[in-house]
Every structure is written in structure tokens, then in C-alpha cells.
Amino acid sequence: MANQERDGYQPSSIEEKWQRLWEERGTNAFTVDELRSAERPFYNLMMFPYPSAEGLHVGNIYAFTGADVHGRYQRLLGRQVFEPIGFDAFGIHSENFALKQGTHPMDLIPSNVRNFTRQLRRTGGMFDWTHTVDTTDPSYYKWTQWIFLKLFEAGLAERKEAPVNWCPSCMTVLANEQVVGGECERCGTPVEQRRIAQWFFKITKYAQRLLDNLETIDWSETTKKAQSNWIGRSQGAQLHFPILDVTGANTTGQVEVYTTRPDTVFGATYMVLSPEHPLVDTVTRPEQAAAVSEYRDQAQKKDLVARQKADRTKTGVFTGGYCRNPATGRAIPVWIADYVLMEYGTGAIMAVPGHDERDFEFAETFDLPIVRVVAGPDEDADTPLAEAYVGPGRLVNSGPFDGTDVTESVRAVTAWAADQGWGEARVQYRLHDWCISRQRYWGPPIPIVHCPKCGAVPVPEDQLPVVLPRVEDFKPDDSGVSPMARVAEWYETSCPSCGGDARRETDVSDTFLDSSWYFLRYPSTDFDDRPFDPEITKSWLPVDTYIGGNEHAVLHLMYARFITMVLKDLGYIDFEEPFTKFRAHGLIIAEGAKMSKSKGNVIVPDPIIEEYGADTFRTYLMFLGPFEEGGDYRAEGIQGPHGFLHRLWDTVVSADPDATPDADVERKVHQTIKQVTEQIPELGYNTSIAALMECLNTVRSGGRTAARAEIEPLVVMVAPFAPHMAEELWERLGHEGGIFDGANWPSFDEAKLVEDTVTLAVQVNGKLRGSIDVAKDAAEADVIAAARADENVARHLEGTTERRVIHVNGRLVNFVVQ
RNA sequence: GCCGGGGUGGCGGAACGGUAGACGCGGCGGCCUCAAAAGCCGCUGUCCGCAAGGGCGUGCGGGUUCGAAUCCCGCCCCCGGCACCA
């Protein structure tokens, strides 16, 4: 507190004053008219928080401040900046917390939201509090349900029984994205496989577009890479292998395999089906039936951890059946093994042990034939294989293709297979359809009614929202159905189509569906009768800049892009990428380590704001390190920005309004304007603040009194970081109406940047030996003469033979001698 | 294993191929003070030297260049994404 008494700068009263005035004047709020008439709209978005009971985390404040600085800068450039905030309050987080505390999420969330709102206001963000969103509000999730209906109508939502990831601890189905290394992302419990009827969104239909569009958007490289890895496009061929009957003379069907190396098909000496493959029963011969069935049971019991993470020792069993390799015409044995996954490709592979590491290992284990079909530079068709050879080379033992280079053989062999009718080129994606069903309570009910006669019937739009009722017993159980399935008075309904007795869908939808479209809602929260107003959406979207954490690089961002594409295809909006520019902020650690309660290094924002003010806190957070990389929060470090803001305050309030600016100081100011103007839009906040500090040091050097003209640009440039203080100083400088509407971002004058004299480094053979001051336009000969004259330089030149002299204007002189 | 991003003082971090370490923290010394806090001024990569000055320094080893933290080649380590994905 004592800190606030000093020099007349009192953050607490100033911050309270301006937060109040912003509110009263509607400084950051848009009316519908303003939204409709904005001429230079800038939609500045940050990832909305989940309102936890613990309150706002420094990580949140860091992210929001970085985004807010960006928004405030755009505003000082004259844009109308819409900067909304909201709450992503549905989901397992809150539900589990409520269960633990013995409270109800419907009581918990509003109080958390109130607390978050209070904390967010104190941080000085430029939020439009008249356009907030709460995903748990029926007026919001009405439209989340509407989106489901639109996908359903478009055939992009389907219900199918599918093996799903089941978390036995959370007692719910998880999306693939929520399974990390075979464990539940949330609680770390090994995930089990179950077969349940689920709703899926067909995001795989959009795989290629989601991949291609990455080229067109301004996103950080890391994020784009994470997305393309997740989509996981691979190019290869689907080949058809005929199944042979006992005699080996007739075929009884065929097995489809997917391979990225169709060129090695001559080396396919056996085939492996996934244990869950539907053709296993067809292929298996009676004498192997017992072994096969035992292996399948075993595989099914293994959870995903055991199956995917284990030591990867190959196991498997022979089915007794054979296929014909369509390239060689030979019969090859069919095995089942759990290293082949049903979820990828066709769930069956042609095994080429000579040129695939896994197949090689399997063949070694079970003594299956290994044939070389690719020879490297120093090898031929008979060179023995000690391990799978996956390098470059030419085909061998491959009939008509012998001698073909592997790079061209992929296409050649595929074409040949297509010609003969046993294969075709195929593109495969790793991306799976999005399972949106959750057997939980705390989410928007999926707006479907199951009718014994009509099947799955969508709830008519005019009956939305399907309101989630308050249910006291919302604890999930192991039954695989939602707690809502215990509430007969809710799920018992009539079919919207035939009027007969029917049952509501009792699952709720994934939280990621809530957050896949919230940015569309923000500017249109004034309307109850439409999810987003066409006119407003047209002028404000897509989002200009989106800032958020990289933990959402795959899930949230992918879903938001998908939903946006669908809405575009359905004609509701005219753009297909929601976020023109996305930047991920870094992570804040504290005292050199990740924040954790056990380490006792968790930063609690409230007391810091109490003691130093939000402006100092914001400035320090932005000063810690490059915004996109994060930084290490050290408690003492805040003294730097704290002192800086106090000195700035002192300098400004004691500035001489009539003094003419000093030429050197003015030059520094112009250099600073240039630097900050270049760095701020690139989120170079730490260096911008450093430049402002340096400039202030120059302004104050020798204890001089600043001229007003020198410091006014500084006040504007500091405004994105310390908005309250900047407002107050702006007012004290005699301006009316607020800095964010009244001030223009300062411009610099190229002519004022250049120094009259410059200091050059003088090197001898690249080693620094002295420095000289010369006039900025001095002739080269004079510069070199001056360099030569430097005492220390002269000493190093003595007794040497000069080979070359390099003079880089304004930089250095280098004597190359021998 | 594949794909990104990194490795710079005691610490956080700056550096269009051109004076490495800006800015800040911490430390040391000084001013102010009865004293402390706050503030202000100076010093602060490291080694040798009284100094002038010099040697060494950006993960390691090479290379290109008058000149490399920066470019190239080969390694090591850290962070993140994907991973029995055929």
C-alpha cells in the first residue's frame, strides 16, 4: 500500500475512476446501431475462459492482456474494436467440481461467473460487457442445438454404434482428441473400448479442405503444423486381395488393404487383419477357430494403453486361411494381430516384411517368409535382409517392374493394379469423425426425439431450446447412459413427426460444440430470434485476430473451422475460415517452474493488483518475455515496470507545456515511435516496453524537465499496456473525451530519425580495436582516415601490410591486414 | 522414429551477416536520511592486468565470409505436435 502513496501516482483510485468512466460512457460497448454502422470494424477475439471456482488464473490474465494490448493498439489506429468476453461454462470440469463440492452446477456457475466478471473488470480489459456469452444460458445453447439440427438436416450428423473411448473414472465417452497416450486427458485413467450408439459429426468429409485452407490463413506455424499432423493425410493405394477357399482354386471374397507402398506389393508374403475385422470369421478355418477366438477375446480386453503403449512386441495368430497376392499370384497366409488397427485404413494390411519394420519384426517372430523387392545402391535382388530396408533404390523380384526406381514405381504399380482391376489410388486421413455425444448431465441436450416408428426425429426449431432441467441427482454411473435417462418425466415425450409416444435423446453434446461457434454469437447477442444477424456478421466476421493457448491448437480450432465451413456451405455465412489471424501466447511459469499448489508458486492476481495496480501488473506481464513464448514470473521483477510507470507519471505531470523539445530527445522519441509501431502489431510487447523505458530514460537524463511535446507520444504508446494511467495523464494534459477515442497513434518523421554524428566500430581483421565519431555524411576517405588515426587502431596496424579496407556506412570500418 | 520451436551473463531476456548482452531483475558502491523504506547517481559477461590494454566468450564440432548468436554441414540437449497410422 505504501507504494501507492508515492509521487502522486495512485493506481487504485485512478483505475477505479477510469473503469467507472468507461462503463458510464459506454467507451467499449457497442449498440446495435454502432455494430451495424461500423466503418472500420476490427474483431479482436480471445479464447473465452472456463469460469472455475478458483477464479481467474494468471495464465488467463496474461492471454487476455496480450489480446487487449492488440485491441487497444488497433483502436488507437482508429479502428472500431469489438472485444467481447464470455464464459465456456458447460462441461465435465464444472460438473466434476460440483459433484466433489456437493453443489449444483446451476448454482456454482453463476457465482463463478460473477467472480470472474469482477476480476476481469479489474484487469482493465477493453471488454464489451453488453455482449457477453454464457454457453450454459438457454438463450445461447438454443442456438448450439440449432447448429446440431442444421448438421443433422445436411446429413452431417449421424448416429451409429461404434467402438468408443470410455473413461471408467469420468464415466463418459471421450473424443479421440481427449485420449492422450491411451489415457483420459482429464484424469489419466486408462481408457477402455465400448460399443455405444453415438452421434457423430462427419468432419472427415472436410479433411482435405481443412488441410488445404491452412495455406490461406495467417496462423502461427506451430499451430498449422499441429492441425495438419492431426488431419494426417497420407497417399497410397487400396488393393484387393482375393480370399482363397480350402482348395486354393476358388475365391470366396476379397480383403481390402490400404498401403502407402503399393510398389512393394510383390514382397507381400502374408496378410494381417485387425482382430476386430469383420472378415476374420470368413477367413478363419475350423482348425484355427479356437486360437483365433481366444486371441480376439484377449485383444478386446486389452485397454488402449496396453495395446498401443506396451513394449510393442508383436503378437498374433494364424487364421488358417489364405489370400492370393494379386501381383505374384501366390497364396499368402492370413493372420490376425493387434498391431493392425481397425480404426485406420481398412483394418487390414498386406505385410511386406522386407520393407516395413513392423512387418519384419512380425515375420521374424512367426517365421514367415521375407522377400526383398527393393535394392539399395550397393545391393541386388539377392542381398540378404538383416532388417527392413526402407531407403531409396530400385525394384527387384517384382516381375515387369524390376529396375524401376521406387520414387516412380508407386504410381506405375498403382496404375498397373488399376488396369487389372485389383486396386486404385487412395488418400487416407488420420482424422476421425467427431463424436459429440456425452453421457453426462452438464451440457446442452441433443435435440433429438427417438420414436419407435419414425426413428431419430429432430426437435422442430420452434421448440428450441430443449432446456436442461435442474436435476439434483446428476451423478454419472457405469451404465453407459446419461443421468438424464433416469428422469422419465423429462425424456418421455411425443414424437414431433407422428405424435406417438417417444423418448428424448438423453445424451448431451460435447463442450467443444459450444465453443465451436461462440465468436459468431458475440456481436449478435442483442437478437433472440436468430443465432447471428446476417448484416452484422457480414461486417464483423471473420475475426480479425484471435489469441489463445496452444492447448487448443487441435481440438477447438479444428472444430470451429469445421462448423464455420459447414455454415458457409449451408448458406448462412459467406466465409469459411473463422479466424483470419491466430496467434498462440506462451506459457507463464513462476520462479523458474510450472505453477503448482504443491510448489507454492501459484500467482494470485488480486493481491498484486491491490498492491501495484492493474497497469503495473499488465505491463510486467507483457514485459516478461516474448508474448508468443511466455515467460518466467518473478515476484521482485515487477519493480521494473512499477518504477517505470511511476517515473513516467512524474515526468508527465511535471512537464513544461511551453518548452521546445530538445533535438536529441526528439530524435529518440521518433526512433521509439518507429520501433514500437513496428513491434506492437507483431506482438513484440517485451521489446516495445523496453523501447519505451529507454526513451523515458533519455527524456529524463540528467534530471532534466521534459517538454510536453516530448512526452505526449509516450503517453499514447504506453496506453495499450497501462490504459488507466494513460487516460488520466491524457486528461491532465488537457484533452477531453478519453485517450482511446481522442488520441491518434503517433507517427514518426524519417528525417528526424537520423543522427548528425554516428559512432563507428573500427576493427582490425574483424576484431574490435576502437570506435570513432564521424559526421553522418562524412566522405569515405575521411572516415577511413579518422579510423586509422585512432590510437589503439594505429598500434594494431603498425608493422602490417594492409590488404583491404571495408567500410560499411554508419556501421564500421574493418582493416584487413597481414 | 517423423514434424515444428528452442539452447545467449547470476536471472528474465535484446541483437536487418556489422561494436553480443538493449531493457529490466538481482548484486556492489555512493548520494539523501537520526535511521530504515522509497527515490536518485555510478559499476556489474568472464579471466589476466595498477592501468592502458589484452585473452576468452551466444549448447558441441567443422565450414562459408573481411566479419557469424545470425548462413551451411554433422552432432548433443530441452519444449511441443504426431506415432504399431500400414
Side-chain angles (χ1 to χ4, degrees), chain A residues 55 122 146 161 177 210 253 285 398 416 450 539 549 628 674 712 763 793 806:
Chain A
R122 290 190 75 185
W146 177 85
E161 190 169 288
E177 289 81 346
L210 288 164
R285 297 281 156 80
S398 296
W416 181 63
H450 297 287
S539 76
E628 292 179 70
K674 180 176 160 68
E712 208 166 284
Q763 301 179 331
V793 172
I806 286 154

Side-chain angles (χ1 to χ4, degrees), chain A residues 91-92 95 164-166 171-178 185-186 196-200 434-446 476 480-484 505-513 555 559:
Chain A
I92 294 181
E95 192 182 304
V164 291
N165 308 298
W166 174 265
M171 297 197 193
T172 188
V173 160
L174 302 173
N176 284 328
E177 289 81 346
Q178 291 161 330
E185 169 193 61
R186 192 167 310 287
I196 303 181
Q198 309 279 332
W199 285 99
F200 285 85
W434 174 15
C435 175
I436 60 137
S437 298
R438 295 292 179 275
Q439 291 68 46
R440 298 287 293 228
Y441 169 67
W442 195 230
I446 292 172
V481 294
S482 156
M484 294 309 293
E505 169 68 57
T506 52
D507 285 356
V508 298
S509 59
D510 184 5
T511 329
F512 280 114
L513 183 58
L555 323 158
Y559 295 144

